[in-house]
Amino acid sequence: MTTFKENTLNYLAWEEFCDTLKRAGKQIIRKEAAADSLSNSEGYRYLSRLLRIGLEMHLEFSDTDFPGFCTPSHETAKIGADNPDNLYMRAPINGTLRYRVYGNRGTVHYLSFGCQAGGYEKDGTLLSAGFIDTNGLQIEDNGDFELIISAQAEIGNHLLINKDCTSLIVRQTFHDRKKEIPAIVQIERLDVAGKPHPLTPKKMREKLLKSANFVEKTANLFADWAQSWKPQPNTLPLMNPEVTLSVGGDPNIDYYHGYWELKDDEVMIIHVDKVPDCDTWNMQINNYWMESLDYRYHNICINKHNAHYNDDGSVTLFLAHQNPQRKNWLQTASHNIGTMCFRCVGAQALVTPQCRVVKYQDLD
């Protein structure tokens, strides 16, 4: 029978949850943050999106005995320069247990599985605890595959993890979503019986606070990143690989991040004189909060497959408010400031994207 004390614990947990969310709002009004009305409005929408993601991860899909996949970034919920060419999937796991991941490869261009330790809701890190992509998997002729995840070496497709592992991230990267078939991926814990345990006040408090802490600490982490790039606008330096790995980045990817700002009559030209051999690459435009701009309605991402190349094999992209009458136009979607990301997957060499800002009338 439910007791008054248990009900009180639930209410106190809810109050603590709400207080943490209220405190998270301070990330949007920090003095260094973008102050224009569009960025400010998107900042509060961003917090609401982080809350949806947090509740999915830490309340609805948090049982490591009976794991399932949620989608931590998609068209209307975004984190840390989410890749518009990606389909993300996340499942909770316990590094001391054994899991079976299985399904069908489909035809998606790139598919990887990364186990991670930690979490943004804890200390703002997501350390790699094991990684494999389809180049390391044996796949049946019909595309079916099976992957065992555990802390002990096993025969066959196996991903070795450590005891600190808390989650599995699956990345599917498309060249052309309209033509490629997504992979079908499912997960189950091995050697488990019964059904999930009923929810207790203690567990409810834990899940609520993880969700709220996720909102606050994720917003803080990427606001710090945007702030750090702001003094050198319109540049795309290579991000320190140790930093990107510490927050859950794919170890196969080189990330180039920067802050951009354009007046209404300006265009940014982004030129890569030698595109390296790689699985794929793309360039994307984000808002100040490192959310990709709305790629459902605006062309804010160009990749290896759909880019127009120059005769010498180089590539030139144009970020502009209005059509610059050039190929490879990246749209600002009514923004004058934001962040941006150039990434190369499996690249054989580093690149140096060159950025310069000109007036529309000086494009020629």
Side-chain angles (χ1 to χ4, degrees):
M1 179 179 293
T2 302
T3 66
F4 175 77
K5 181 178 179 180
E6 288 174 327
N7 289 343
T8 301
L9 289 176
N10 281 330
Y11 176 73
L12 292 175
W14 183 261
E15 279 198 326
E16 195 173 355
F17 167 76
C18 292
D19 288 342
T20 304
L21 292 179
K22 182 178 180 180
R23 189 172 63 240
K26 294 182 179 179
Q27 298 302 324
I28 310 305
I29 59 172
R30 53 199 288 181
K31 64 180 181 179
E32 310 88 0
D36 63 285
S37 60
L38 176 57
S39 296
N40 187 261
S41 298
E42 289 184 339
Y44 290 105
R45 182 185 65 183
Y46 171 51
L47 296 182
S48 74
R49 290 174 164 183
L50 291 178
L51 178 57
R52 282 193 284 132
I53 296 170
L55 290 171
E56 284 281 284
M57 293 195 304
H58 299 301
L59 181 61
E60 304 295 351
F61 292 87
S62 60
D63 193 334
T64 58
D65 287 333
F66 299 89
F69 284 108
C70 66
T71 306
S73 287
H74 50 81
E75 293 89 341
T76 62
K78 311 181 179 202
I79 307 176
D82 58 292
N83 187 345
D85 292 328
N86 268 14
L87 170 59
Y88 295 93
M89 304 171 68
R90 178 194 185 273
I93 59 176
N94 181 325
T96 65
L97 305 177
R98 294 177 71 242
Y99 297 89
R100 172 177 175 253
V101 176
Y102 61 99
N104 188 275
R105 169 69 175 81
T107 64
V108 63
H109 182 74
Y110 176 77
L111 176 62
S112 69
F113 305 84
C115 289
Q116 299 169 332
Y120 293 164
E121 73 283 356
K122 296 178 180 178
D123 57 5
T125 63
L126 267 177
L127 301 174
S128 177
F131 179 85
I132 192 171
D133 61 31
T134 47
N135 292 322
L137 288 180
Q138 295 179 353
I139 299 174
E140 301 295 331
D141 292 340
N142 65 355
D144 289 349
F145 70 90
E146 178 181 275
L147 172 66
I148 302 299
I149 299 176
S150 69
Q152 292 80 35
E154 301 192 27
I155 298 174
N157 289 333
H158 180 247
L159 178 54
L160 186 67
I161 59 174
N162 61 50
K163 63 180 178 59
D164 298 320
C165 185
T166 56
S167 61
L168 169 68
I169 297 293
V170 180
R171 289 180 174 89
Q172 303 192 42
T173 305
F174 297 82
H175 272 168
D176 187 342
R177 284 183 186 266
K178 294 180 180 179
K179 295 182 179 179
E180 295 171 63
I181 301 171
I184 298 171
V185 186
Q186 300 185 65
I187 185 171
E188 64 179 0
R189 180 191 161 187
L190 299 175
D191 311 317
V192 65
K195 298 185 181 299
H197 297 295
L199 189 62
T200 64
K202 180 180 178 181
K203 278 294 182 182
M204 188 60 190
R205 178 180 183 275
E206 175 186 317
K207 293 171 186 291
L208 281 176
L209 294 187
K210 277 188 176 181
S211 301
N213 287 330
F214 171 81
V215 175
E216 181 181 27
K217 295 186 177 182
T218 302
N220 178 70
L221 170 66
F222 292 114
D224 283 349
W225 281 23
Q227 178 187 337
S228 71
W229 304 325
K230 196 173 181 180
Q232 292 84 38
N234 302 329
T235 60
L236 272 170
L238 175 67
M239 192 81 173
N240 184 339
E242 292 184 1
V243 175
T244 58
L245 283 175
S246 73
V247 296
D250 186 323
N252 276 349
I253 299 179
D254 298 317
Y255 296 91
Y256 304 77
H257 284 286
Y259 175 89
W260 66 271
E261 56 184 20
L262 288 178
K263 297 177 181 177
D264 290 342
D265 62 346
E266 291 179 332
V267 178
M268 178 161 52
I269 303 171
I270 305 148
H271 182 75
V272 179
D273 60 0
K274 185 175 177 57
V275 180
D277 291 333
C278 59
D279 289 326
T280 191
W281 65 265
N282 73 359
M283 173 75 196
Q284 70 180 75
I285 308 303
N286 314 310
N287 64 11
Y288 182 85
W289 311 108
M290 293 188 66
E291 296 180 293
S292 65
L293 299 185
D294 197 336
Y295 49 84
R296 296 173 299 175
Y297 305 109
H298 303 278
N299 186 41
I300 60 88
C301 181
I302 292 174
N303 64 33
K304 178 181 179 179
H305 172 74
N306 59 31
H308 174 81
Y309 294 85
N310 301 319
D311 292 340
D312 61 359
S314 65
V315 65
T316 308
L317 314 173
F318 299 86
L319 175 61
H321 302 294
Q322 304 169 26
N323 190 342
Q325 304 303 318
R326 300 290 192 279
K327 294 180 178 178
N328 299 333
W329 175 28
L330 291 161
Q331 301 174 1
T332 62
S334 300
H335 294 72
N336 285 93
I337 62 170
T339 58
M340 54 186 174
C341 174
F342 183 91
R343 59 170 63 77
C344 287
V345 182
Q348 300 303 305
L350 297 176
V351 300
T352 307
Q354 299 295 320
C355 304
R356 61 190 178 98
V357 175
V358 301
K359 301 292 186 181
Y360 273 95
Q361 63 266 29
D362 296 331
L363 266 177
D364 291 335

